[in-house]
Amino acid sequence: MDMAPFTIQDEKLELEKNDSCSRREIFSLWGKEGKSLVKQVTPAKWRFNHSNLELARYYPDYQFYTVVVDTKKCSLCRVCEALCPKQCFNIADDAFLISPQACSHYQLCSDACPENAITINHQVSKALSTTHETFLNTCEGCDTSFRTLSKHDNKCPVCARRKAGYLHSKA
């Protein structure tokens, strides 16, 4: 940008040749000055109300991210639905709806997903929602009913992760 690099000079720290200061004074000064510097260089989105800067609000017909859920891995645990601040996920009795138009790439959903089934990619496109059908199956291991994205799943997520013979008595 054709500008000279900046330097930080601390007039308080400049000492005459005969002056000295203790470690405590130096670290105390550095701590105070460091906090002041951090406040000055904090990103704008942390200092301002950045909800006004969200593009999805101004372009309701477009989405800026695609949200892909791997239906083979997803156990419908509802973590994504609970954590997404933009409410991009809706798990109902008969469908799993993904609406990425409001997605702003917080990635709480993908970071917290225990199955690592969620991927968020940068991609500008027309706003599209995805619906996956859910099924009510009965677990052959514990005989409880559970929701799944595959009509062929015969074990609930708990029993599917359980090691063979674990917690079963030999009768």
Side-chain angles (χ1 to χ4, degrees):
M1 294 178 15
D2 296 327
M3 297 177 71
F6 67 91
T7 59
I8 299 173
Q9 294 179 345
D10 191 352
E11 295 170 4
K12 296 176 188 175
L13 195 58
E14 291 181 15
L15 303 172
E16 294 181 14
K17 291 183 181 181
N18 296 334
D19 286 345
S20 64
C21 56
S22 67
R23 281 180 158 181
R24 179 172 286 176
E25 291 170 332
I26 290 174
F27 288 127
S28 174
L29 179 64
W30 285 348
K32 290 176 188 172
E33 293 299 319
K35 287 179 185 176
S36 173
L37 179 65
V38 167
K39 285 180 185 176
Q40 293 171 14
V41 297
T42 302
K45 73 177 190 175
W46 294 355
R47 288 185 277 158
F48 301 117
N49 182 2
H50 65 280
S51 62
N52 293 333
L53 302 174
E54 293 178 9
L55 292 175
R57 177 185 205 182
Y58 301 107
Y59 299 98
D61 297 333
Y62 291 91
Q63 65 188 38
F64 297 91
Y65 301 96
T66 57
V67 179
V68 179
V69 175
D70 186 348
T71 57
K72 292 182 172 101
K73 292 181 179 179
C74 181
S75 64
L76 294 177
C77 67
R78 296 180 172 253
V79 169
C80 56
E81 182 181 38
L83 290 179
C84 181
K86 303 296 180 174
Q87 300 172 342
C88 295
F89 302 95
N90 183 12
I91 301 173
D93 287 340
D94 58 347
F96 179 19
L97 178 67
I98 305 165
S99 304
Q101 192 277 332
C103 181
S104 57
H105 205 253
Y106 282 118
Q107 286 192 312
L108 289 174
C109 56
S110 64
D111 290 344
C113 180
E115 315 300 338
N116 292 326
I118 300 173
T119 307
I120 301 174
N121 300 314
H122 296 276
Q123 182 182 357
V124 179
S125 63
K126 288 281 189 184
L128 298 172
S129 295
T130 306
T131 304
H132 299 285
E133 186 177 4
T134 61
F135 302 94
L136 182 64
N137 293 352
T138 303
C139 178
E140 66 181 24
C142 62
D143 210 29
T144 60
S145 37
F146 66 99
R147 291 250 164 236
T148 182
L149 291 170
S150 172
K151 61 182 174 183
H152 303 295
D153 284 347
N154 54 8
K155 288 188 178 180
C156 67
V158 174
C159 291
R161 282 190 210 105
R162 187 178 295 149
K163 294 179 183 176
Y166 185 72
L167 293 179
H168 288 289
S169 61
K170 296 176 183 177

